[in-house]
Amino acid sequence: MARTESSKPRYEFLGENQLYNKLGEKPRNYIKEVVKLLDKKIGLKNIETICLFGSQVSNSNECCSISDCDLLIVVKNSVPGEILKKIEPYLLTLEIKHNYRTNHSSL
């Protein structure tokens, strides 16, 4: 069944972001999965902002295969801290999946 405009996932807005479109495939896929996870666990309406910073957004060629993907996620005060703590292991799993962290890395 074809997806209609109203049934389009809300995270599709990422494709409209110029900075996001300039990123490599690895960070784009990672960010998209983070946004999907947050939408599923707390809903995008509870996200104030998501900021990408660090080497992924610098204009230099410092990005390499071992570069990380620094995200600052600001949620509304109404999101309980217990919920955020439950999401943390999922975020760590995504970091491992996308090779931004090894299984042996510590926080």
Side-chain angles (χ1 to χ4, degrees):
M1 179 180 206
R3 201 180 273 278
T4 63
E5 191 65 31
S6 62
S7 66
K8 191 186 233 186
R10 292 179 291 182
Y11 52 84
E12 297 251 344
F13 68 89
L14 290 171
E16 300 167 5
N17 184 289
Q18 288 181 339
L19 175 60
Y20 177 81
N21 289 328
K22 289 181 181 179
L23 296 172
E25 184 177 357
K26 180 181 173 182
R28 279 196 323 264
N29 289 339
Y30 170 69
I31 293 167
K32 190 170 187 174
E33 285 201 49
V34 167
V35 172
K36 284 182 186 179
L37 172 70
L38 293 171
D39 188 24
K40 181 178 179 181
K41 297 295 183 182
I42 63 173
L44 293 180
K45 66 185 180 305
N46 289 308
I47 304 293
E48 291 287 344
T49 192
I50 300 174
C51 295
L52 175 67
F53 63 97
S55 60
Q56 294 291 344
V57 294
S58 70
N59 290 328
S60 68
N61 290 327
E62 294 175 17
C63 292
C64 60
S65 62
I66 59 170
S67 181
D68 60 359
C69 190
D70 300 310
L71 293 176
L72 171 66
I73 302 165
V74 180
V75 299
K76 292 185 177 179
N77 286 335
S78 59
V79 179
E82 299 81 38
I83 299 293
L84 298 176
K85 287 179 184 176
K86 289 180 181 178
I87 294 172
E88 186 176 356
Y90 295 104
L91 292 171
L92 292 174
T93 299
L94 287 178
E95 288 181 11
I96 293 167
K97 176 182 176 183
H98 291 275
N99 295 315
Y100 288 120
R101 180 181 300 270
T102 64
N103 279 322
H104 307 297
S105 297
S106 61
L107 290 176

